[in-house]
């Protein structure tokens, strides 16, 4: 019983914490973010396992966590507003080469992040070559290039 | 908030995003408060958690943390004034109900012997090696409220309360 309760509490806690921290927290792939993710996973493991290292406990935790994930995906399908609260919605950050500064400030993304994504995905060199930049629900920045003159 | 000219398919909902951002900021404040509470000792050991209980005659003092965490290391100290120690063997007791919720890791100094009665565990010390303070390293096995009681046999006793977070 404890494994299921622990699994549920930790799952909900992690869900809330990552929603509060914003979409970009897990998507940023700097080395520091990677280390942060490792530390968090190690800490969560301690809270989940506690002092029960049996296989049964481990299996129960996996079943609980995967089960919650499946249940949540069903709920999101039936309740689109819940989907928005859990996964967020995309935010347009650049409109026809113009930075939407208020939105950038709110989502804590800057020009360099957009240019980095643009370089990686389309080999874009300058901001004016971008038509739209969108912060996706996954936390990644999608870039739609402007049509070549 | 700027409104872009959207000429592609996207399910942006900026009103919802604005609500989310407000909630995000409220969440940051809560996280800050939780961190401050942890630093102050409200969520475990720390300056606000450290407390002591002394009997009316000031012969026995128990130092403990008001807030503890289950399955984490904890320390309780019993300080006995020299006036309370009779020559020869003397006994210190701790409430058995309280000890049932604990796992004692070590006691310093170790008692000569201990006996278990219906409501208390009695530790016997030799007054020659007068223990003025008795350190108990322990772990709370269950979360929740724990009421402690300890005393010197035939002498003063003190009571205290601790809360162990899960």
């Amino acid at each position: 019983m404890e494994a299921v309760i622990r699994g549920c509490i930790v799952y909900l806690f992690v869900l809330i914490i990552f929603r509060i921290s914003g979409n970009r927290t897990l998507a940023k792939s700097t080395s520091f973010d990677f280390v942060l993710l490792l530390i968090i996973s190690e800490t969560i493991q301690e809270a989940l396992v506690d002092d029960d290292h049996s296989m049964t406990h481990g299996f129960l935790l996996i079943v609980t966590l995967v089960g919650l994930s499946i249940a949540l995906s069903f709920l999101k399908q039936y309740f689109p507003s819940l989907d928005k609260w859990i996964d967020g919605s995309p935010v347009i950050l650049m409109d026809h080469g113009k930075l939407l500064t208020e939105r950038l400030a709110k989502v804590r993304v800057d020009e360099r992040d957009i240019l980095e994504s643009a370089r990686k995905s389309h080999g874009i060199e300058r901001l004016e070559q971008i038509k739209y930049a969108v912060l996706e629900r996954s936390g990644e920045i999608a870039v739609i290039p402007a049509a070549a003159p | 908030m700027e409104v872009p000219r959207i000429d592609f398919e996207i399910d942006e909902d900026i009103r919802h995003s604005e609500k989310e951002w407000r909630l995000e900021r409220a969440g940051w404040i809560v996280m800050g408060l939780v961190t401050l509470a942890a630093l102050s000792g409200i969520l475990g050991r720390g300056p606000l958690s450290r407390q002591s209980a002394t009997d009316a005659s000031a012969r026995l003092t128990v130092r403990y943390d008001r807030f503890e965490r289950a399955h984490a290391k904890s320390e309780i100290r019993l300080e006995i004034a020299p006036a309370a120690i009779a020559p020869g063997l003397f006994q210190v007791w701790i409430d058995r109900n309280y000890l049932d919720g604990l796992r004692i890791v070590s006691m310093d100094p170790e008692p000569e012997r201990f006996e278990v009665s219906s409501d208390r565990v009695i530790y016997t010390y030799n007054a020659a090696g007068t223990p003025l303070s008795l350190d108990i390293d322990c772990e709370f096995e269950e979360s929740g409220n724990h009421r402690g009681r300890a005393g010197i046999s035939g002498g003063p006793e003190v009571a205290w309360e601790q809360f162990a977070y899960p």
Side-chain angles (χ1 to χ4, degrees), chain B residues 11-166:
Chain B
D11 59 341
E12 189 192 55
D13 183 348
I14 201 67
R15 287 204 174 164
H16 173 83
S17 297
E18 282 173 339
K19 277 186 217 162
E20 248 181 47
W21 296 330
R22 277 197 292 275
L23 207 69
E24 238 179 62
R25 270 120 190 107
W28 298 349
I29 294 170
V30 173
M31 277 162 71
L33 292 175
V34 168
T35 311
L36 283 179
L39 286 172
S40 65
I42 294 170
L43 296 177
R45 304 175 81 176
L48 290 183
S49 177
R50 204 76 197 142
Q51 289 189 7
S52 63
T54 308
D55 78 291
S57 60
R59 285 185 291 168
L60 175 64
T61 301
V62 178
R63 298 193 189 279
Y64 61 98
D65 273 293
R66 178 72 184 83
F67 302 105
E68 288 283 3
R69 290 177 201 152
H71 305 292
K73 270 189 184 172
S74 167
E75 192 185 295
I76 301 154
R77 170 177 276 197
L78 271 66
E79 290 175 354
I80 302 140
I85 301 166
L89 294 175
F90 82 97
Q91 293 177 320
V92 178
W93 60 266
I94 302 175
D95 183 63
R96 208 175 143 187
N97 275 339
Y98 175 71
L99 290 178
D100 282 346
L102 288 180
R103 188 173 73 85
I104 291 183
V105 179
S106 69
M107 288 179 93
D108 183 30
E110 294 273 354
E112 298 281 318
R113 62 173 188 271
F114 70 92
E115 298 152 49
V116 181
S117 77
S118 59
D119 63 339
R120 53 181 67 170
V121 178
I122 303 155
Y123 301 94
T124 305
Y125 287 90
N126 193 336
T130 312
L132 288 175
S133 66
L134 166 60
D135 290 319
I136 303 169
D137 287 329
C138 55
E139 276 179 27
F140 283 95
E141 288 186 316
E142 285 163 19
S143 53
N145 230 20
H146 295 261
R147 287 172 200 277
R149 218 159 52 90
I152 300 166
S153 291
E157 67 174 70
V158 292
W160 68 97
E161 207 169 316
Q162 288 170 285
F163 180 82
Y165 288 98

Side-chain angles (χ1 to χ4, degrees), chain A residues 17-105:
Chain A
I17 286 292
F18 282 123
R19 289 304 291 131
I20 287 172
S21 65
N23 279 3
R24 292 282 287 162
T25 308
L26 285 183
K28 273 190 177 176
S29 49
T30 64
S31 9
F32 183 73
D33 289 326
F34 179 63
V35 172
L36 183 69
L37 197 61
L38 286 180
I39 297 169
I40 291 172
S41 61
E42 183 71 22
T43 313
I44 290 169
Q45 189 219 336
E46 292 279 326
L48 280 171
V49 174
D50 194 25
D51 52 0
D52 187 344
H53 296 276
S54 66
M55 273 174 76
T56 312
H57 188 78
F59 289 164
L60 276 174
L61 276 174
I62 292 167
V63 169
T64 306
L65 295 173
V66 174
L68 280 171
S69 181
I70 295 168
L72 212 60
S73 64
F74 272 115
L75 284 172
K76 284 193 289 189
Q77 245 181 346
Y78 288 112
F79 304 104
S81 61
L82 181 72
D83 182 34
K84 271 187 191 164
W85 280 111
I86 291 175
D87 289 334
S89 74
V91 179
I92 299 173
L93 304 174
M94 263 190 91
D95 174 22
H96 293 84
K98 190 182 149 226
L99 290 166
L100 306 175
T101 47
E102 258 186 272
R103 292 165 175 235
L104 287 169

